[in-house]
Amino acid sequence: MRVKKLSLVIFLLTIFLVLSLAVQAVDAGLIAHYQFEGDLTDAESNFSDFKVTGDRIFNSGGKINFGQGKNGQAAVFDGSSGLFLAENLIDDYSYSIAFWLRADTINQFTTTFFAGLSDQESGIESWISFVPQGPSGRTMLWSGNNWYDADGNFKIPEDQWVHLAAAVDQGEVHFYINGTEHFRGSDFPDVFSDVEAKFALGVNYWDNPFEGKIDDLRIYDQPLTAEEVEELAAGAEKIEVKAETKVDLDPQSVSVHDPMIIKENGRFYVFGSHLAAAKSEDLIEWKQISGDWDASNPIIPNPEEELQETLAWPEPDAESTWAKSPIKIRAKDTNKYHLYFSSAHWESERSNISLTVSDNIEGPYKFDRILIRKYEEGQYSREAGENFRHQKHPGVIDPHVFYDKNDRLWMLYGSYAGGLHLLELDEETGYPENYNPETGYLEEGSGYGKKLAGGGHSPIEGGYILYNPETDYYYLYMSFGTLAADGGYNIRVARSKNVDGPYLDPQGTDLREYDSGSWADAVNYGAKLIGNFVFEKSELGYLSPGHNSAYYDQSSGKSFVIFHSRYPGQGEYHQVRVHQTIFNQKGWPVITPHAYNGESLSAVSEEKISGSYQFVNHGRNIQNGYKEINYSEEIKLNADGSISGEVRGSWKLIDDYFAEITIEGETYYGAFISQFDRGLAKKVMTFSALSDKGVTVWGSKY
C-alpha cells in the first residue's frame, strides 16, 4: 500500500515538475505581462500601466471596461477607445509578442496591438500592427516600414477567442495564429532599435478603433520557439476556414489589363496596359492582337525606343505603359486614331499622360508628345503653378478621352491622390485646350482641370464617363480599391446631367465629398455595381473586377461594361469580361450577373421567374482581399410573390421585365433577363437590382 502511495506521489511530483519546467520555459525572457484582471498593470512590474485614450493614439477621452476573458478577465474595447503606453516595451531587433483577442466586429486595417511611430515632421513611418483584416483581406502582422506583410492564410472569425503571436529575430519573422505558424520570412524591418516607439492596443494614428476584447498580452525580449507559442495558445478553438473556390478561365476570353473599348469598322477593340490589345466581332469571342512589351509588338513597335521620352519622366524610368484610351478624332482633315496612355513606375511619385497617333486602328502608333505631368511631393508643377501636393493634385494616369453629347472632346483622368479630374481638349490637336505646344506643358498655373470625384488619396481610379441618350445622364464609372487579386477592385457609379458634374450617387451624395483617404469611408459613396462574388452552384465568380470602360449601342439600345477581373483560385491571372448593363426604373445602370452571350431584354412571365436562385448581395464595402467574397445564398422566388430561404422578402414583375425585389424592408430596382450560365451550361433566369442606398443584389436561377 505504501509503495502504491509512494508511486502516486512520485507521479504527481513528476507531473508538477514537468508543468513547472514548461511554465519556466514559456516565461523565459518575459519582460511585460498585462493580464487585465480588472486593471492595466504589468504583472512583471517592469513597465507602467497602460493609459486609456480616445479613438486614436494621443486623443483624449475613452473608456475601458473589463469583462470575461480567455483567462480570467479581459480588457473590453468599445470601438471608440484604446490603450496607450509611451515606454519602450521593445527596443531591439529580437522580441516576441503574444496575446488573445476576441473581435466583436472586424474592419479593414483596424489594429489590435500597435507599436512604432508615425511622425510627419521627421518623416518617420516605422511601425508594426497586428490586424485581423489587413490590406490582403487576411489576418496579418503588418509593418509600415517598407510595407512588410507577414500574411496569415485567412481572416480570423468574429466572436471567437483567437491567439496571435509573432517572434522576430534579427529580421527573421514568424507569425502564428492559434499556435500554428502561418508565415515565415526574412528581412522584417528593424522597427524599434533606433525609434522611441509608442505602444497601443485597439487604436493607431489613422484607422477605426478595435471593438472586442484583448487578454493576456505578453512581451518577450527574445524570440519564442514554435513549441513555446503552441503552449501559450493551448485551449484555442479550431477556426473553420471555408475551402477556396476555383473558377475556370473562360476559353472565349483574352487577357487585356484595364481594357478600354472602341468600335471601328463594325468590330470591337480593347486596348489595355502594357501593350495588350484584342478584338471581337460580337463582344463574346475575343482574339488577342498583342500582349508582350517587346520590339515586335504591332501596336507600338520598338516601344522602348519609340516612347523613350515618356518612359524617362517617372524616375526611375517606366518599364511599360499603363491604361490606354483609344478614340477616332472627328475633326475635319484629321481623321486620326489617337491612343492616350500613361507612363508610371511603382517606385516613382512622377507619372504622365502622353499621346500616340496612327492612321490605322490596329497601329502602328507613333509617339506624339507628353501632355500632362505629375510631380514629386513638393516639386514645382508648371501645370498647377505651385508645388505639387498629392492630397490635392491628381494622379496623372488612367486617361479616358471621349466626346460629350454636344461633340465637345474631354479627358477624364486621375488615380488616388487628388481624385478624378476632367480637362477639355482641342479637337483639332487632341491636346488639352490650355496646352502650349511651344513649351510642351499646360499653360503655367492653368491647373489640372475640374475635380469630379475623390481627393485626399482616396482609393478611386479607372474613371470612365458614358452618356446615355435614353436617360439624358452622364454616368461616371469608377473602380474603388486596388487592382490585384488581393486588392479588392469593385465598380461603382454616379451620374450627372452635365458632363462636368456634379456627379451624385443614388443617395444624392456628391462624389467630391469622398476625400478622407479612408478605405472604410468607401461604403458611403457611389452605387456599388459589382465586387468579389461566387455563385457556388455554378462555380463562377470574380475577384477584383474593375477598371472598366463602357459602350452604348445606338442601334440596339444595349449598354455594356467591359472590365478585367481575376478569378477565385487563379491567382493574378485576369481576363476581359463583358456584361450587359440595364437601366432600371430610376435610370440607374445594373450589371447583369453573367457575361454577355448575345441576350436581349424581352417580356418574361411570372411563371418563368418563379423558382430557386443563387442570391448575391454585393454590399457596399471595398472587399479588400481574396478571402472576402460574397458567396451566394439559396433563395426561392415563390409564385405568390414572396421570397423564402436564406433571405426573406417579396418580388414583383413590373411591366414586361422590370423587377422590384424587397428584402428586409429595402427595395431594389432592376430587371429580369434570361442569360447563359457558363458554369451550369444552360440558360437561366436572372435578376439584377439596385437599392436607393447604392447596394446591388443578383439572382441566378438553378
Side-chain angles (χ1 to χ4, degrees):
M1 188 66 174
R2 289 181 179 177
V3 173
K4 289 182 179 180
K5 287 183 177 180
L6 182 60
S7 298
L8 179 60
V9 170
I10 293 173
F11 174 76
L12 293 173
L13 287 172
T14 302
I15 294 297
F16 177 76
L17 180 60
V18 169
L19 291 174
S20 297
L21 290 173
V23 170
Q24 290 175 14
V26 83
D27 284 348
L30 180 65
I31 57 172
H33 188 187
Y34 291 89
Q35 298 174 321
F36 304 116
E37 295 299 326
D39 58 42
L40 304 173
T41 62
D42 169 25
E44 298 297 304
S45 301
N46 293 325
F47 296 91
S48 301
D49 296 357
F50 269 103
K51 305 297 182 184
V52 179
T53 71
D55 61 353
R56 299 293 188 274
I57 287 179
F58 300 132
N59 279 1
S60 60
K63 182 179 181 181
I64 295 293
N65 295 315
F66 299 92
Q68 181 62 46
K70 179 63 179 175
N71 301 309
Q73 289 189 301
V76 179
F77 296 79
D78 63 3
S80 63
S81 306
L83 294 174
F84 170 73
L85 186 68
E87 287 187 77
N88 278 350
L89 287 173
I90 305 169
D91 60 5
D92 61 24
Y93 205 10
S94 292
Y95 55 89
S96 297
I97 304 161
F99 60 97
W100 290 92
L101 71 93
R102 183 184 179 97
D104 293 340
T105 60
I106 292 178
N107 296 311
Q108 191 172 37
F109 305 145
T110 291
T111 190
T112 52
F113 178 93
F114 179 89
L117 186 64
S118 175
D119 189 334
Q120 292 184 352
E121 290 187 7
S122 64
I124 295 176
E125 287 283 351
S126 184
W127 47 263
I128 64 171
S129 182
F130 287 79
V131 282
Q133 183 184 349
S136 68
R138 302 179 289 275
T139 301
M140 66 192 306
L141 172 65
W142 193 22
S143 175
N145 185 2
N146 298 324
W147 300 106
Y148 195 104
D149 300 344
D151 208 345
N153 298 325
F154 54 84
K155 184 177 74 174
I156 63 172
E158 297 174 353
D159 301 321
Q160 181 176 329
W161 280 106
V162 177
H163 190 266
L164 299 183
V168 177
D169 187 12
Q170 302 296 319
E172 181 180 344
V173 60
H174 301 258
F175 176 56
Y176 301 87
I177 302 175
N178 280 356
T180 299
E181 183 179 275
H182 282 265
F183 181 91
R184 175 187 299 181
S186 57
D187 300 322
F188 191 73
D190 184 4
V191 173
F192 302 110
S193 294
D194 299 318
V195 172
E196 292 294 320
K198 314 301 180 186
F199 296 82
L201 295 178
V203 292
N204 59 22
Y205 293 93
W206 318 279
D207 301 302
N208 291 332
F210 175 66
E211 187 173 354
K213 297 178 180 179
I214 294 177
D215 195 9
D216 200 39
L217 171 66
R218 296 167 178 254
I219 309 294
Y220 297 81
D221 64 0
Q222 63 187 40
L224 290 171
T225 66
E227 292 76 18
E228 289 169 336
V229 174
E230 184 179 11
E231 178 70 23
L232 289 174
E237 298 178 46
K238 182 180 178 181
I239 296 175
E240 298 293 336
V241 180
K242 191 178 184 69
E244 184 176 355
T245 301
K246 185 173 183 179
V247 172
D248 292 336
L249 301 177
D250 185 347
Q252 293 184 306
S253 191
V254 289
S255 183
V256 177
H257 212 273
D258 307 325
M260 302 286 276
I261 195 166
I262 183 173
K263 187 177 183 181
E264 187 61 26
N265 302 322
R267 184 177 292 123
F268 297 95
Y269 292 87
V270 288
F271 293 82
S273 288
H274 315 301
L275 282 176
K279 59 185 176 182
S280 173
E281 303 289 339
D282 56 10
L283 295 175
I284 303 170
E285 293 189 56
W286 290 88
K287 179 181 179 181
Q288 198 90 36
I289 299 174
S290 63
D292 294 331
W293 174 267
D294 57 32
S296 62
N297 191 289
I299 305 301
I300 304 179
N302 302 303
E304 295 283 351
E305 178 181 341
E306 182 67 27
L307 305 178
Q308 182 178 7
E309 180 181 345
T310 185
L311 296 174
W313 172 259
E315 294 183 351
D317 291 2
E319 298 171 344
S320 183
T321 56
W322 292 0
K324 312 291 188 300
S325 182
I327 190 168
K328 187 176 184 179
I329 299 298
R330 302 173 186 169
K332 185 178 179 181
D333 300 328
T334 300
N335 203 34
K336 293 278 189 179
Y337 295 97
H338 283 196
L339 191 63
Y340 297 82
F341 67 94
S342 49
S343 292
H345 193 289
W346 289 108
E347 296 177 11
S348 175
E349 293 181 343
R350 294 171 28 143
S351 63
N352 68 69
I353 290 174
S354 295
L355 170 64
T356 58
V357 180
S358 176
D359 293 323
N360 190 309
I361 184 63
E362 295 189 25
Y365 286 83
K366 302 294 290 183
F367 177 71
D368 187 86
R369 64 188 60 230
I370 296 174
L371 298 178
I372 318 172
R373 295 167 176 83
K374 176 177 180 284
Y375 302 80
E376 295 177 5
E377 178 74 17
Q379 184 180 3
Y380 182 74
S381 164
R382 293 188 62 164
E383 288 84 347
E386 61 185 3
N387 290 344
F388 195 90
R389 293 286 179 261
H390 292 138
Q391 300 293 312
K392 174 183 178 182
H393 301 121
V396 182
I397 63 171
D398 295 353
H400 171 221
V401 177
F402 64 98
Y403 285 96
D404 68 12
K405 67 179 181 180
N406 299 313
D407 289 332
R408 293 166 66 187
L409 190 64
W410 301 86
M411 178 191 288
L412 172 72
Y413 70 100
S415 171
Y416 282 60
L420 305 184
H421 284 61
L422 186 71
L423 272 174
E424 188 163 6
L425 305 186
D426 178 351
E427 191 189 20
E428 295 294 329
T429 62
Y431 309 155
E433 281 198 330
N434 53 351
Y435 183 83
N436 186 334
E438 295 182 2
T439 64
Y441 289 82
L442 303 187
E443 291 290 352
E444 190 164 8
S446 61
Y448 284 98
K450 186 174 183 180
K451 187 172 83 167
L452 300 187
H457 212 69
S458 296
I460 304 177
E461 59 185 6
Y464 196 96
I465 291 177
L466 181 70
Y467 175 71
N468 186 327
E470 295 180 10
T471 65
D472 194 31
Y473 274 106
Y474 292 93
Y475 294 89
L476 171 61
Y477 293 95
M478 303 155 284
S479 290
F480 280 33
T482 57
L483 58 87
D486 59 358
Y489 253 173
N490 59 98
I491 298 172
R492 305 195 183 210
V493 71
R495 70 184 184 185
S496 176
K497 286 291 185 179
N498 305 305
V499 67
D500 60 349
Y503 283 87
L504 310 181
D505 64 19
Q507 299 184 93
T509 304
D510 189 328
L511 266 292
R512 291 173 297 185
E513 294 179 16
Y514 184 20
D515 59 1
S516 67
S518 169
W519 284 46
D521 285 351
V523 299
N524 300 313
Y525 299 93
K528 182 180 175 184
L529 302 181
I530 183 175
N532 298 348
F533 79 96
V534 166
F535 283 132
E536 293 198 82
K537 291 187 177 296
S538 303
E539 296 184 347
L540 295 176
Y542 295 154
L543 290 177
S544 294
H547 202 121
N548 73 281
S549 53
Y551 180 76
Y552 174 79
D553 189 288
Q554 291 186 344
S555 61
S556 67
K558 289 183 180 180
S559 185
F560 303 90
V561 292
I562 301 90
F563 56 94
H564 72 256
S565 181
R566 274 79 174 168
Y567 300 95
Q570 297 287 358
E572 291 296 323
Y573 195 88
H574 56 85
Q575 288 187 314
V576 173
R577 312 310 296 144
V578 179
H579 284 238
Q580 190 172 174
T581 53
I582 299 168
F583 289 82
N584 69 12
Q585 304 93 306
K586 298 191 174 188
W588 287 99
V590 294
I591 295 177
T592 52
H594 294 285
Y596 179 65
N597 198 52
E599 67 273 3
S600 299
L601 275 172
S602 61
V604 297
S605 67
E606 293 181 347
E607 182 180 2
K608 287 186 177 180
I609 293 171
S610 299
S612 298
Y613 285 76
Q614 303 171 82
F615 174 80
V616 168
N617 185 327
H618 283 284
R620 287 185 62 87
N621 63 325
I622 283 188
Q623 291 181 282
N624 190 32
Y626 74 89
K627 287 296 183 181
E628 192 169 330
I629 296 172
N630 287 323
Y631 286 90
S632 61
E633 300 174 288
E634 295 181 29
I635 66 170
K636 284 187 177 181
L637 270 58
N638 300 306
D640 64 0
S642 65
I643 297 176
S644 58
E646 294 188 67
V647 301
R648 296 180 180 275
S650 62
W651 65 275
K652 291 180 182 179
L653 172 63
I654 309 295
D655 297 330
D656 289 333
Y657 47 75
F658 285 121
E660 282 191 15
I661 309 293
T662 301
I663 297 168
E664 297 179 356
E666 187 70 28
T667 300
Y668 302 79
Y669 303 91
F672 295 103
I673 184 171
S674 178
Q675 290 195 279
F676 182 75
D677 183 323
R678 182 167 66 93
L680 299 180
K682 66 177 183 179
K683 283 189 174 182
V684 298
M685 183 59 65
T686 71
F687 66 79
S688 178
L690 178 71
S691 76
D692 291 338
K693 293 182 178 179
V695 176
T696 295
V697 294
W698 283 356
S700 182
K701 202 172 183 180
Y702 63 91

